[in-house]
Amino acid sequence: MTMSGPADSVATTTGAGLLAMAADLLPAIVGDGPMLSSDVHATLYSAARVLPGGDDRGRAHLVADQAEEMFAAYLVAAGETGPATSPRRTVRGWVTGSPMWAVARGLRDAAGYFWRPGAHQPL
């Protein structure tokens, strides 16, 4: 099999796309209620379910976990928060108390961060 570019660039594009999709889905997941710390993962999981292979729930959770790791890496790199003991705790700590629109903006900003040339974070 011949690939035209590094494999991680394909994964980064997929991860960035998933982050952007999650930003759009977040209002539907959260609804009128308060932002919960698990809403980001639930939204990433919902976005992963529409990707090819998304009917495999285990794979969708894995893809959502990996996208959440990318989001955590972005939050730390952007100086939005410091690293926690795990990517999930980094994200959940940042989400707690944040309005939904700010989290959606953060997801969009993270997508843009990973779409930039040279951003190769595997998903």
Side-chain angles (χ1 to χ4, degrees):
M1 171 159 88
T2 304
M3 296 187 72
S4 59
D8 61 350
S9 65
V10 173
T12 300
T13 301
T14 301
L18 193 66
L19 291 166
M21 287 173 58
D24 292 338
L25 285 173
L26 189 64
I29 300 294
V30 175
D32 293 331
M35 191 74 205
L36 302 176
S37 63
S38 60
D39 286 336
V40 170
H41 188 271
T43 304
L44 289 166
Y45 172 75
S46 295
R49 295 278 292 160
V50 301
L51 294 175
D55 55 337
D56 180 342
R57 291 180 183 167
R59 174 146 171 71
H61 273 293
L62 177 63
V63 170
D65 289 346
Q66 292 171 335
E68 189 173 43
E69 289 176 14
M70 289 176 69
F71 187 43
Y74 163 76
L75 291 172
V76 172
E80 294 288 328
T81 189
T85 56
S86 71
R88 179 153 297 158
R89 287 179 190 244
T90 299
V91 170
R92 288 184 176 194
W94 181 79
V95 166
T96 302
S98 297
M100 188 268 301
W101 62 265
V103 177
R105 185 185 67 212
L107 288 164
R108 279 189 198 89
D109 290 348
Y113 175 81
F114 287 106
W115 265 323
R116 79 188 197 299
H120 297 289
Q121 289 292 322
L123 173 71

